[in-house]
Amino acid sequence: MPPPAAGSRSRSGAGETECPAARRLRRLSLHLLQPSPAPGDQAGPALALAACAGRARRVEGGADVAAALAAYLRGRHRAAQMRLFDFFRARPDLQTPVELTTAAHRELCFRQLRALVRDAGVRPLTLMANDPAEYFAVMEAAGGADISLGVKLGVQYSLWGGSVINLGTKKHRDKFFDGIDNLDYPGCFAMTELHHGSNVQALQTSATFDPVTDEFIINTPNDGAIKWWIGNAAVHGKFATVFARLILPLQGKGGEPADMGIHAFIVPIRDLETHAVLPGIEINDCGHKIGLNGVDNGALRFRSVRIPRDNLLNRFGDVSRDGKYTSSLPTINKRFAATLGELVGGRVGIAYCSVGVLKVAVTIAVRYALLRHQFGPPKQPEISVLDYQSHQHKLMPMLASSYAFHFATVQLVDKYSEMKKTNDEDLIADVHVLSSGLKAYITSYTAKSISICREACGGHGYAAVNRFGALRNDHDIFQTFEGDNTVLLQQVAGDLLKQYQEKFKGGTLSVTWNYLRDSMGTYLSQPNPVTARWEGEDHLRDPNFQLDAFRYRTSRLLHSVAARLQKHSKTLGGFGAWNRCLNHLLTLAESHIESVILAKFIESVKSCPDEKTREVLKLVCDLYALDRIWKDIGTYRNVDYVAPNKAKAIHKLTDYLSYQVRLVAQELVDAFDLPDLIIRAPIGMQSEAYAQYTQYVGF
């Protein structure tokens, strides 16, 4: 049932003599009975119940609204995505069925990737090198066909190919680029070990230089150093980029071996012709997983495997023929940071593709909620479940978040593309932290949202054919690979604290954090007791109020956690203090990322050239902002940033905006422009959903 309109409404006539309870009951009846509005009743038209799905599902001009929204959302590489969709639609043999064994899924996934490259003519590594934005668009489209395919493509090109072109030099690109691009050289990215994942600097695999033979000897010193969860390793990979400690004999103190830190090496693991595993290498299968079973994850052990010295990816550090080490970077830590910084594209791709998964889940849930009718007023037709306030509360903020994340990740991709062109140091630092925060925040939100969408679709959401199980299981690992989300959020918090210190030293702030320049003054002053009580709808929907609220919260969190860290460091040391404040730091990072997302959403609304489209986006943006404020209203109340009456007004307005977004929910999901090939769930089809569902089960 939709809530009453937010804000005060003037009344005339009989309404003036009604007590509040009677007025409330009369308005509630309006929602169900849909009478003509009383003379002078300004709320009447807005409060009338929306026509139920299946009879009049679109608002007036809804198709035009959806088309205009789709045009604004559509990226410049949409044509490339559509070509892939058409390609897979014309190839039923490449479409992933609902039920598939692990072995069959792996074989199908490799055939899909091979067909994409060799039949559809896509050259992903070339795209990644020349136009990262188009590469990410292709990855999203491939993931739409099958998330396993998107991940396998990412392993081959973002990780294996990306390590060669970003960590290597011209000799490596000349030798390997074409073979990686055309899939003659399927490869792996062997970083994670059984005992170490996030803590890359603690990896134990070694690469010891032998000056006699001019080779590196790759060795797994113990079981904890076995490379684990390595995509493409179990079945298809022929090469691996192996991350190992570079050891130089006799060059340490007292003639001891010198450990030069983590470096990357190209190691052949299977014969190019026979595909037999090469001597000294042991490969085992990590087995069936919760999801992504089209990707063949394996474990690798190296027993004194010799590779040429030239197989060291030597962009940031090199070893000469006589065993001398050289680097343009003076310390192990700086070399390590530069190495990992070049691999940030993986995080960018995961954040971008996670939004695509969220769009699919939300589209299925919203379309089904419009289709499904349950209960209704006495002797009246049943109503759409999306007309229930509880259902709007589940799905409409999620739909708004999908739009917010869309604009944020498009901006991230653009920044990454610019970074690759310019190699600007400030932009590199900005993209590193922004990609960490967005990847962590968006993938966590998407994982939770898929389960909510499943629940919102009731029993039919539990059918495998309706996708939620596969979406949830395949996407779940997005929270872990390319950086555990908790670890990535700590990187964001650490950078914020660094910027906080720079502020007091008179330094400059990187682009994404520049609002902190004023935060310690404006945002940390005592809240204005007058504005803290303002509750008018115009004020609450003012983007300046919304953004100020988000940034005020971030600045308070930053200031308070800095003080706590300073206090606890005196007794616990730096590591102990960080751990004592860890939850506070994670909240700070999430708050900052929410501020960045909202700022980009507001900017995207203002930039929209079409007035009607801009109005719809403004509505969605307001819901995104106020829903976030309401969910953390305790923080604002604790510091008197929001008075009790204002908190109540925010709650009411959030419910009302959910109802308003519900009225254009179909147009909003249609604007994602996802073809049936990508949606696939019968209950999420644009038309004849029940008919397709019954046909699937055999009627």
Side-chain angles (χ1 to χ4, degrees), residues 14 28 65 88 94 105 140-141 176 179 213 223 229 278 291-292 322 339 466 518 530 550 612 664:
L28 287 172
V65 171
F88 280 107
L94 298 178
H105 197 177
E140 182 189 27
F176 290 99
T213 62
D223 286 354
W229 291 125
L278 294 175
L292 292 181
D322 59 359
T339 297
N466 287 322
D518 304 316
V530 176
F550 275 48
K612 289 184 178 179
V664 289

mmCIF file with all atom_site columns, all heavy atoms in Angstrom, residues 14 28 65 88 94 105 140-141 176 179 213 223 229 278 291-292 322 339 466 518 530 550 612 664:
data_model
loop_
_atom_site.group_PDB
_atom_site.id
_atom_site.type_symbol
_atom_site.label_atom_id
_atom_site.label_alt_id
_atom_site.label_comp_id
_atom_site.label_asym_id
_atom_site.label_entity_id
_atom_site.label_seq_id
_atom_site.pdbx_PDB_ins_code
_atom_site.Cartn_x
_atom_site.Cartn_y
_atom_site.Cartn_z
_atom_site.occupancy
_atom_site.B_iso_or_equiv
_atom_site.pdbx_formal_charge
_atom_site.auth_seq_id
_atom_site.auth_comp_id
_atom_site.auth_asym_id
_atom_site.auth_atom_id
_atom_site.pdbx_PDB_model_num
ATOM 1   N N   . ALA A 1 14  ? -14.475 20.025  3.793   1.00 0.00 ? 14  ALA A N   1
ATOM 2   C CA  . ALA A 1 14  ? -14.730 19.109  4.891   1.00 0.00 ? 14  ALA A CA  1
ATOM 3   C C   . ALA A 1 14  ? -13.453 18.686  5.578   1.00 0.00 ? 14  ALA A C   1
ATOM 4   O O   . ALA A 1 14  ? -13.448 18.389  6.771   1.00 0.00 ? 14  ALA A O   1
ATOM 5   C CB  . ALA A 1 14  ? -15.481 17.874  4.379   1.00 0.00 ? 14  ALA A CB  1
ATOM 6   N N   . LEU A 1 28  ? -6.169  6.694   3.523   1.00 0.00 ? 28  LEU A N   1
ATOM 7   C CA  . LEU A 1 28  ? -5.846  5.301   3.259   1.00 0.00 ? 28  LEU A CA  1
ATOM 8   C C   . LEU A 1 28  ? -6.876  4.665   2.333   1.00 0.00 ? 28  LEU A C   1
ATOM 9   O O   . LEU A 1 28  ? -6.545  3.870   1.451   1.00 0.00 ? 28  LEU A O   1
ATOM 10  C CB  . LEU A 1 28  ? -5.761  4.510   4.570   1.00 0.00 ? 28  LEU A CB  1
ATOM 11  C CG  . LEU A 1 28  ? -4.519  4.787   5.423   1.00 0.00 ? 28  LEU A CG  1
ATOM 12  C CD1 . LEU A 1 28  ? -4.650  4.093   6.766   1.00 0.00 ? 28  LEU A CD1 1
ATOM 13  C CD2 . LEU A 1 28  ? -3.278  4.294   4.712   1.00 0.00 ? 28  LEU A CD2 1
ATOM 14  N N   . VAL A 1 65  ? 9.698   7.368   -21.912 1.00 0.00 ? 65  VAL A N   1
ATOM 15  C CA  . VAL A 1 65  ? 10.558  7.590   -20.743 1.00 0.00 ? 65  VAL A CA  1
ATOM 16  C C   . VAL A 1 65  ? 11.683  6.561   -20.728 1.00 0.00 ? 65  VAL A C   1
ATOM 17  O O   . VAL A 1 65  ? 12.860  6.893   -20.538 1.00 0.00 ? 65  VAL A O   1
ATOM 18  C CB  . VAL A 1 65  ? 9.737   7.510   -19.436 1.00 0.00 ? 65  VAL A CB  1
ATOM 19  C CG1 . VAL A 1 65  ? 10.663  7.527   -18.217 1.00 0.00 ? 65  VAL A CG1 1
ATOM 20  C CG2 . VAL A 1 65  ? 8.744   8.652   -19.352 1.00 0.00 ? 65  VAL A CG2 1
ATOM 21  N N   . PHE A 1 88  ? 25.866  -14.395 -29.751 1.00 0.00 ? 88  PHE A N   1
ATOM 22  C CA  . PHE A 1 88  ? 25.480  -15.508 -28.888 1.00 0.00 ? 88  PHE A CA  1
ATOM 23  C C   . PHE A 1 88  ? 24.031  -15.947 -29.142 1.00 0.00 ? 88  PHE A C   1
ATOM 24  O O   . PHE A 1 88  ? 23.708  -17.125 -29.023 1.00 0.00 ? 88  PHE A O   1
ATOM 25  C CB  . PHE A 1 88  ? 25.674  -15.134 -27.414 1.00 0.00 ? 88  PHE A CB  1
ATOM 26  C CG  . PHE A 1 88  ? 27.098  -15.247 -26.956 1.00 0.00 ? 88  PHE A CG  1
ATOM 27  C CD1 . PHE A 1 88  ? 27.859  -14.115 -26.727 1.00 0.00 ? 88  PHE A CD1 1
ATOM 28  C CD2 . PHE A 1 88  ? 27.692  -16.486 -26.767 1.00 0.00 ? 88  PHE A CD2 1
ATOM 29  C CE1 . PHE A 1 88  ? 29.185  -14.211 -26.325 1.00 0.00 ? 88  PHE A CE1 1
ATOM 30  C CE2 . PHE A 1 88  ? 29.003  -16.605 -26.356 1.00 0.00 ? 88  PHE A CE2 1
ATOM 31  C CZ  . PHE A 1 88  ? 29.756  -15.463 -26.136 1.00 0.00 ? 88  PHE A CZ  1
ATOM 32  N N   . LEU A 1 94  ? 26.334  -22.238 -27.917 1.00 0.00 ? 94  LEU A N   1
ATOM 33  C CA  . LEU A 1 94  ? 27.199  -21.534 -26.971 1.00 0.00 ? 94  LEU A CA  1
ATOM 34  C C   . LEU A 1 94  ? 26.439  -20.980 -25.774 1.00 0.00 ? 94  LEU A C   1
ATOM 35  O O   . LEU A 1 94  ? 27.039  -20.343 -24.903 1.00 0.00 ? 94  LEU A O   1
ATOM 36  C CB  . LEU A 1 94  ? 27.924  -20.380 -27.678 1.00 0.00 ? 94  LEU A CB  1
ATOM 37  C CG  . LEU A 1 94  ? 28.867  -20.765 -28.821 1.00 0.00 ? 94  LEU A CG  1
ATOM 38  C CD1 . LEU A 1 94  ? 29.459  -19.513 -29.458 1.00 0.00 ? 94  LEU A CD1 1
ATOM 39  C CD2 . LEU A 1 94  ? 29.980  -21.687 -28.319 1.00 0.00 ? 94  LEU A CD2 1
ATOM 40  N N   . HIS A 1 105 ? 30.713  -27.690 -18.109 1.00 0.00 ? 105 HIS A N   1
ATOM 41  C CA  . HIS A 1 105 ? 30.669  -26.223 -18.026 1.00 0.00 ? 105 HIS A CA  1
ATOM 42  C C   . HIS A 1 105 ? 32.035  -25.629 -18.376 1.00 0.00 ? 105 HIS A C   1
ATOM 43  O O   . HIS A 1 105 ? 32.135  -24.619 -19.080 1.00 0.00 ? 105 HIS A O   1
ATOM 44  C CB  . HIS A 1 105 ? 30.244  -25.795 -16.620 1.00 0.00 ? 105 HIS A CB  1
ATOM 45  C CG  . HIS A 1 105 ? 29.790  -24.370 -16.536 1.00 0.00 ? 105 HIS A CG  1
ATOM 46  N ND1 . HIS A 1 105 ? 29.319  -23.801 -15.382 1.00 0.00 ? 105 HIS A ND1 1
ATOM 47  C CD2 . HIS A 1 105 ? 29.743  -23.378 -17.480 1.00 0.00 ? 105 HIS A CD2 1
ATOM 48  C CE1 . HIS A 1 105 ? 29.006  -22.544 -15.608 1.00 0.00 ? 105 HIS A CE1 1
ATOM 49  N NE2 . HIS A 1 105 ? 29.254  -22.263 -16.870 1.00 0.00 ? 105 HIS A NE2 1
ATOM 50  N N   . GLU A 1 140 ? 31.688  -7.045  -19.697 1.00 0.00 ? 140 GLU A N   1
ATOM 51  C CA  . GLU A 1 140 ? 30.347  -7.033  -19.109 1.00 0.00 ? 140 GLU A CA  1
ATOM 52  C C   . GLU A 1 140 ? 29.383  -7.845  -19.973 1.00 0.00 ? 140 GLU A C   1
ATOM 53  O O   . GLU A 1 140 ? 28.561  -8.611  -19.456 1.00 0.00 ? 140 GLU A O   1
ATOM 54  C CB  . GLU A 1 140 ? 29.836  -5.596  -18.970 1.00 0.00 ? 140 GLU A CB  1
ATOM 55  C CG  . GLU A 1 140 ? 28.455  -5.511  -18.325 1.00 0.00 ? 140 GLU A CG  1
ATOM 56  C CD  . GLU A 1 140 ? 27.854  -4.128  -18.380 1.00 0.00 ? 140 GLU A CD  1
ATOM 57  O OE1 . GLU A 1 140 ? 28.196  -3.354  -19.299 1.00 0.00 ? 140 GLU A OE1 1
ATOM 58  O OE2 . GLU A 1 140 ? 27.019  -3.812  -17.511 1.00 0.00 ? 140 GLU A OE2 1
ATOM 59  N N   . ALA A 1 141 ? 29.466  -7.687  -21.299 1.00 0.00 ? 141 ALA A N   1
ATOM 60  C CA  . ALA A 1 141 ? 28.583  -8.432  -22.201 1.00 0.00 ? 141 ALA A CA  1
ATOM 61  C C   . ALA A 1 141 ? 28.850  -9.929  -22.104 1.00 0.00 ? 141 ALA A C   1
ATOM 62  O O   . ALA A 1 141 ? 27.922  -10.742 -22.077 1.00 0.00 ? 141 ALA A O   1
ATOM 63  C CB  . ALA A 1 141 ? 28.759  -7.943  -23.636 1.00 0.00 ? 141 ALA A CB  1
ATOM 64  N N   . PHE A 1 176 ? 54.713  -12.320 -26.715 1.00 0.00 ? 176 PHE A N   1
ATOM 65  C CA  . PHE A 1 176 ? 53.509  -12.968 -26.188 1.00 0.00 ? 176 PHE A CA  1
ATOM 66  C C   . PHE A 1 176 ? 52.192  -12.293 -26.577 1.00 0.00 ? 176 PHE A C   1
ATOM 67  O O   . PHE A 1 176 ? 51.134  -12.927 -26.479 1.00 0.00 ? 176 PHE A O   1
ATOM 68  C CB  . PHE A 1 176 ? 53.586  -13.031 -24.651 1.00 0.00 ? 176 PHE A CB  1
ATOM 69  C CG  . PHE A 1 176 ? 54.612  -13.988 -24.129 1.00 0.00 ? 176 PHE A CG  1
ATOM 70  C CD1 . PHE A 1 176 ? 55.855  -13.541 -23.716 1.00 0.00 ? 176 PHE A CD1 1
ATOM 71  C CD2 . PHE A 1 176 ? 54.350  -15.350 -24.061 1.00 0.00 ? 176 PHE A CD2 1
ATOM 72  C CE1 . PHE A 1 176 ? 56.815  -14.421 -23.236 1.00 0.00 ? 176 PHE A CE1 1
ATOM 73  C CE2 . PHE A 1 176 ? 55.295  -16.240 -23.586 1.00 0.00 ? 176 PHE A CE2 1
ATOM 74  C CZ  . PHE A 1 176 ? 56.526  -15.772 -23.171 1.00 0.00 ? 176 PHE A CZ  1
ATOM 75  N N   . GLY A 1 179 ? 49.824  -14.047 -29.245 1.00 0.00 ? 179 GLY A N   1
ATOM 76  C CA  . GLY A 1 179 ? 49.396  -15.372 -28.798 1.00 0.00 ? 179 GLY A CA  1
ATOM 77  C C   . GLY A 1 179 ? 48.386  -15.319 -27.673 1.00 0.00 ? 179 GLY A C   1
ATOM 78  O O   . GLY A 1 179 ? 47.469  -16.149 -27.594 1.00 0.00 ? 179 GLY A O   1
ATOM 79  N N   . THR A 1 213 ? 73.902  -20.712 -15.542 1.00 0.00 ? 213 THR A N   1
ATOM 80  C CA  . THR A 1 213 ? 73.059  -21.060 -16.698 1.00 0.00 ? 213 THR A CA  1
ATOM 81  C C   . THR A 1 213 ? 72.232  -19.889 -17.213 1.00 0.00 ? 213 THR A C   1
ATOM 82  O O   . THR A 1 213 ? 71.526  -20.019 -18.217 1.00 0.00 ? 213 THR A O   1
ATOM 83  C CB  . THR A 1 213 ? 72.101  -22.204 -16.325 1.00 0.00 ? 213 THR A CB  1
ATOM 84  O OG1 . THR A 1 213 ? 71.235  -21.762 -15.272 1.00 0.00 ? 213 THR A OG1 1
ATOM 85  C CG2 . THR A 1 213 ? 72.875  -23.433 -15.860 1.00 0.00 ? 213 THR A CG2 1
ATOM 86  N N   . ASP A 1 223 ? 54.333  -26.793 1.508   1.00 0.00 ? 223 ASP A N   1
ATOM 87  C CA  . ASP A 1 223 ? 52.932  -26.910 1.070   1.00 0.00 ? 223 ASP A CA  1
ATOM 88  C C   . ASP A 1 223 ? 52.188  -25.588 1.163   1.00 0.00 ? 223 ASP A C   1
ATOM 89  O O   . ASP A 1 223 ? 51.289  -25.312 0.359   1.00 0.00 ? 223 ASP A O   1
ATOM 90  C CB  . ASP A 1 223 ? 52.207  -27.968 1.899   1.00 0.00 ? 223 ASP A CB  1
ATOM 91  C CG  . ASP A 1 223 ? 52.601  -29.391 1.519   1.00 0.00 ? 223 ASP A CG  1
ATOM 92  O OD1 . ASP A 1 223 ? 53.351  -29.541 0.529   1.00 0.00 ? 223 ASP A OD1 1
ATOM 93  O OD2 . ASP A 1 223 ? 52.162  -30.336 2.208   1.00 0.00 ? 223 ASP A OD2 1
ATOM 94  N N   . TRP A 1 229 ? 43.915  -21.727 -6.133  1.00 0.00 ? 229 TRP A N   1
ATOM 95  C CA  . TRP A 1 229 ? 42.790  -21.005 -6.765  1.00 0.00 ? 229 TRP A CA  1
ATOM 96  C C   . TRP A 1 229 ? 43.223  -20.326 -8.059  1.00 0.00 ? 229 TRP A C   1
ATOM 97  O O   . TRP A 1 229 ? 42.706  -19.265 -8.405  1.00 0.00 ? 229 TRP A O   1
ATOM 98  C CB  . TRP A 1 229 ? 42.180  -19.956 -5.822  1.00 0.00 ? 229 TRP A CB  1
ATOM 99  C CG  . TRP A 1 229 ? 41.448  -20.506 -4.652  1.00 0.00 ? 229 TRP A CG  1
ATOM 100 C CD1 . TRP A 1 229 ? 41.670  -20.227 -3.349  1.00 0.00 ? 229 TRP A CD1 1
ATOM 101 C CD2 . TRP A 1 229 ? 40.344  -21.429 -4.667  1.00 0.00 ? 229 TRP A CD2 1
ATOM 102 N NE1 . TRP A 1 229 ? 40.793  -20.927 -2.539  1.00 0.00 ? 229 TRP A NE1 1
ATOM 103 C CE2 . TRP A 1 229 ? 39.964  -21.672 -3.330  1.00 0.00 ? 229 TRP A CE2 1
ATOM 104 C CE3 . TRP A 1 229 ? 39.654  -22.099 -5.686  1.00 0.00 ? 229 TRP A CE3 1
ATOM 105 C CZ2 . TRP A 1 229 ? 38.936  -22.532 -2.971  1.00 0.00 ? 229 TRP A CZ2 1
ATOM 106 C CZ3 . TRP A 1 229 ? 38.618  -22.959 -5.335  1.00 0.00 ? 229 TRP A CZ3 1
ATOM 107 C CH2 . TRP A 1 229 ? 38.269  -23.158 -3.994  1.00 0.00 ? 229 TRP A CH2 1
ATOM 108 N N   . LEU A 1 278 ? 54.464  -29.837 -17.948 1.00 0.00 ? 278 LEU A N   1
ATOM 109 C CA  . LEU A 1 278 ? 55.913  -29.835 -18.129 1.00 0.00 ? 278 LEU A CA  1
ATOM 110 C C   . LEU A 1 278 ? 56.639  -30.392 -16.899 1.00 0.00 ? 278 LEU A C   1
ATOM 111 O O   . LEU A 1 278 ? 56.092  -30.377 -15.784 1.00 0.00 ? 278 LEU A O   1
ATOM 112 C CB  . LEU A 1 278 ? 56.389  -28.415 -18.432 1.00 0.00 ? 278 LEU A CB  1
ATOM 113 C CG  . LEU A 1 278 ? 55.895  -27.831 -19.773 1.00 0.00 ? 278 LEU A CG  1
ATOM 114 C CD1 . LEU A 1 278 ? 56.316  -26.389 -19.928 1.00 0.00 ? 278 LEU A CD1 1
ATOM 115 C CD2 . LEU A 1 278 ? 56.422  -28.666 -20.949 1.00 0.00 ? 278 LEU A CD2 1
ATOM 116 N N   . GLY A 1 291 ? 30.266  -21.635 -7.025  1.00 0.00 ? 291 GLY A N   1
ATOM 117 C CA  . GLY A 1 291 ? 29.832  -21.036 -8.289  1.00 0.00 ? 291 GLY A CA  1
ATOM 118 C C   . GLY A 1 291 ? 31.000  -20.939 -9.251  1.00 0.00 ? 291 GLY A C   1
ATOM 119 O O   . GLY A 1 291 ? 32.095  -21.442 -8.983  1.00 0.00 ? 291 GLY A O   1
ATOM 120 N N   . LEU A 1 292 ? 30.776  -20.287 -10.386 1.00 0.00 ? 292 LEU A N   1
ATOM 121 C CA  . LEU A 1 292 ? 31.806  -20.099 -11.413 1.00 0.00 ? 292 LEU A CA  1
ATOM 122 C C   . LEU A 1 292 ? 32.475  -21.407 -11.814 1.00 0.00 ? 292 LEU A C   1
ATOM 123 O O   . LEU A 1 292 ? 33.696  -21.477 -11.990 1.00 0.00 ? 292 LEU A O   1
ATOM 124 C CB  . LEU A 1 292 ? 32.877  -19.105 -10.929 1.00 0.00 ? 292 LEU A CB  1
ATOM 125 C CG  . LEU A 1 292 ? 32.446  -17.643 -10.767 1.00 0.00 ? 292 LEU A CG  1
ATOM 126 C CD1 . LEU A 1 292 ? 33.625  -16.795 -10.302 1.00 0.00 ? 292 LEU A CD1 1
ATOM 127 C CD2 . LEU A 1 292 ? 31.845  -17.071 -12.040 1.00 0.00 ? 292 LEU A CD2 1
ATOM 128 N N   . ASP A 1 322 ? 75.317  -10.862 -15.454 1.00 0.00 ? 322 ASP A N   1
ATOM 129 C CA  . ASP A 1 322 ? 76.261  -11.174 -14.383 1.00 0.00 ? 322 ASP A CA  1
ATOM 130 C C   . ASP A 1 322 ? 75.610  -11.162 -13.000 1.00 0.00 ? 322 ASP A C   1
ATOM 131 O O   . ASP A 1 322 ? 76.298  -11.184 -11.979 1.00 0.00 ? 322 ASP A O   1
ATOM 132 C CB  . ASP A 1 322 ? 77.447  -10.206 -14.409 1.00 0.00 ? 322 ASP A CB  1
ATOM 133 C CG  . ASP A 1 322 ? 77.015  -8.754  -14.247 1.00 0.00 ? 322 ASP A CG  1
ATOM 134 O OD1 . ASP A 1 322 ? 75.792  -8.501  -14.133 1.00 0.00 ? 322 ASP A OD1 1
ATOM 135 O OD2 . ASP A 1 322 ? 77.888  -7.872  -14.229 1.00 0.00 ? 322 ASP A OD2 1
ATOM 136 N N   . THR A 1 339 ? 54.198  -2.490  -8.731  1.00 0.00 ? 339 THR A N   1
ATOM 137 C CA  . THR A 1 339 ? 53.753  -3.738  -9.362  1.00 0.00 ? 339 THR A CA  1
ATOM 138 C C   . THR A 1 339 ? 52.259  -3.934  -9.164  1.00 0.00 ? 339 THR A C   1
ATOM 139 O O   . THR A 1 339 ? 51.512  -4.191  -10.122 1.00 0.00 ? 339 THR A O   1
ATOM 140 C CB  . THR A 1 339 ? 54.521  -4.932  -8.769  1.00 0.00 ? 339 THR A CB  1
ATOM 141 O OG1 . THR A 1 339 ? 55.907  -4.785  -9.073  1.00 0.00 ? 339 THR A OG1 1
ATOM 142 C CG2 . THR A 1 339 ? 54.013  -6.242  -9.350  1.00 0.00 ? 339 THR A CG2 1
ATOM 143 N N   . ASN A 1 466 ? 15.112  -19.352 -12.914 1.00 0.00 ? 466 ASN A N   1
ATOM 144 C CA  . ASN A 1 466 ? 14.887  -17.922 -12.703 1.00 0.00 ? 466 ASN A CA  1
ATOM 145 C C   . ASN A 1 466 ? 16.117  -17.191 -12.163 1.00 0.00 ? 466 ASN A C   1
ATOM 146 O O   . ASN A 1 466 ? 16.019  -16.045 -11.725 1.00 0.00 ? 466 ASN A O   1
ATOM 147 C CB  . ASN A 1 466 ? 13.665  -17.708 -11.819 1.00 0.00 ? 466 ASN A CB  1
ATOM 148 C CG  . ASN A 1 466 ? 12.380  -17.994 -12.584 1.00 0.00 ? 466 ASN A CG  1
ATOM 149 O OD1 . ASN A 1 466 ? 12.282  -17.673 -13.776 1.00 0.00 ? 466 ASN A OD1 1
ATOM 150 N ND2 . ASN A 1 466 ? 11.410  -18.626 -11.947 1.00 0.00 ? 466 ASN A ND2 1
ATOM 151 N N   . ASP A 1 518 ? 37.930  21.359  3.046   1.00 0.00 ? 518 ASP A N   1
ATOM 152 C CA  . ASP A 1 518 ? 37.145  22.229  3.918   1.00 0.00 ? 518 ASP A CA  1
ATOM 153 C C   . ASP A 1 518 ? 36.501  21.477  5.079   1.00 0.00 ? 518 ASP A C   1
ATOM 154 O O   . ASP A 1 518 ? 35.865  22.077  5.931   1.00 0.00 ? 518 ASP A O   1
ATOM 155 C CB  . ASP A 1 518 ? 36.025  22.912  3.106   1.00 0.00 ? 518 ASP A CB  1
ATOM 156 C CG  . ASP A 1 518 ? 36.587  23.672  1.921   1.00 0.00 ? 518 ASP A CG  1
ATOM 157 O OD1 . ASP A 1 518 ? 37.598  24.366  2.118   1.00 0.00 ? 518 ASP A OD1 1
ATOM 158 O OD2 . ASP A 1 518 ? 36.013  23.569  0.823   1.00 0.00 ? 518 ASP A OD2 1
ATOM 159 N N   . VAL A 1 530 ? 19.150  25.676  13.569  1.00 0.00 ? 530 VAL A N   1
ATOM 160 C CA  . VAL A 1 530 ? 17.993  26.021  12.739  1.00 0.00 ? 530 VAL A CA  1
ATOM 161 C C   . VAL A 1 530 ? 17.862  25.017  11.589  1.00 0.00 ? 530 VAL A C   1
ATOM 162 O O   . VAL A 1 530 ? 16.813  24.393  11.392  1.00 0.00 ? 530 VAL A O   1
ATOM 163 C CB  . VAL A 1 530 ? 18.125  27.463  12.201  1.00 0.00 ? 530 VAL A CB  1
ATOM 164 C CG1 . VAL A 1 530 ? 16.963  27.776  11.248  1.00 0.00 ? 530 VAL A CG1 1
ATOM 165 C CG2 . VAL A 1 530 ? 18.168  28.463  13.348  1.00 0.00 ? 530 VAL A CG2 1
ATOM 166 N N   . PHE A 1 550 ? 26.115  13.647  3.745   1.00 0.00 ? 550 PHE A N   1
ATOM 167 C CA  . PHE A 1 550 ? 27.033  12.526  3.516   1.00 0.00 ? 550 PHE A CA  1
ATOM 168 C C   . PHE A 1 550 ? 28.464  12.921  3.914   1.00 0.00 ? 550 PHE A C   1
ATOM 169 O O   . PHE A 1 550 ? 29.163  12.162  4.590   1.00 0.00 ? 550 PHE A O   1
ATOM 170 C CB  . PHE A 1 550 ? 27.026  12.126  2.040   1.00 0.00 ? 550 PHE A CB  1
ATOM 171 C CG  . PHE A 1 550 ? 25.926  11.172  1.654   1.00 0.00 ? 550 PHE A CG  1
ATOM 172 C CD1 . PHE A 1 550 ? 24.606  11.393  2.028   1.00 0.00 ? 550 PHE A CD1 1
ATOM 173 C CD2 . PHE A 1 550 ? 26.210  10.048  0.907   1.00 0.00 ? 550 PHE A CD2 1
ATOM 174 C CE1 . PHE A 1 550 ? 23.603  10.517  1.658   1.00 0.00 ? 550 PHE A CE1 1
ATOM 175 C CE2 . PHE A 1 550 ? 25.216  9.151   0.529   1.00 0.00 ? 550 PHE A CE2 1
ATOM 176 C CZ  . PHE A 1 550 ? 23.903  9.395   0.909   1.00 0.00 ? 550 PHE A CZ  1
ATOM 177 N N   . LYS A 1 612 ? 12.574  15.742  -19.054 1.00 0.00 ? 612 LYS A N   1
ATOM 178 C CA  . LYS A 1 612 ? 11.767  14.690  -18.429 1.00 0.00 ? 612 LYS A CA  1
ATOM 179 C C   . LYS A 1 612 ? 12.654  13.582  -17.868 1.00 0.00 ? 612 LYS A C   1
ATOM 180 O O   . LYS A 1 612 ? 12.397  13.068  -16.774 1.00 0.00 ? 612 LYS A O   1
ATOM 181 C CB  . LYS A 1 612 ? 10.772  14.123  -19.446 1.00 0.00 ? 612 LYS A CB  1
ATOM 182 C CG  . LYS A 1 612 ? 9.643   15.074  -19.809 1.00 0.00 ? 612 LYS A CG  1
ATOM 183 C CD  . LYS A 1 612 ? 8.638   14.415  -20.737 1.00 0.00 ? 612 LYS A CD  1
ATOM 184 C CE  . LYS A 1 612 ? 7.489   15.359  -21.049 1.00 0.00 ? 612 LYS A CE  1
ATOM 185 N NZ  . LYS A 1 612 ? 6.492   14.743  -21.975 1.00 0.00 ? 612 LYS A NZ  1
ATOM 186 N N   . VAL A 1 664 ? 7.393   4.423   -11.785 1.00 0.00 ? 664 VAL A N   1
ATOM 187 C CA  . VAL A 1 664 ? 8.183   4.370   -13.021 1.00 0.00 ? 664 VAL A CA  1
ATOM 188 C C   . VAL A 1 664 ? 9.175   3.204   -12.977 1.00 0.00 ? 664 VAL A C   1
ATOM 189 O O   . VAL A 1 664 ? 10.163  3.187   -13.729 1.00 0.00 ? 664 VAL A O   1
ATOM 190 C CB  . VAL A 1 664 ? 8.941   5.701   -13.262 1.00 0.00 ? 664 VAL A CB  1
ATOM 191 C CG1 . VAL A 1 664 ? 7.974   6.796   -13.655 1.00 0.00 ? 664 VAL A CG1 1
ATOM 192 C CG2 . VAL A 1 664 ? 9.767   6.094   -12.046 1.00 0.00 ? 664 VAL A CG2 1
#
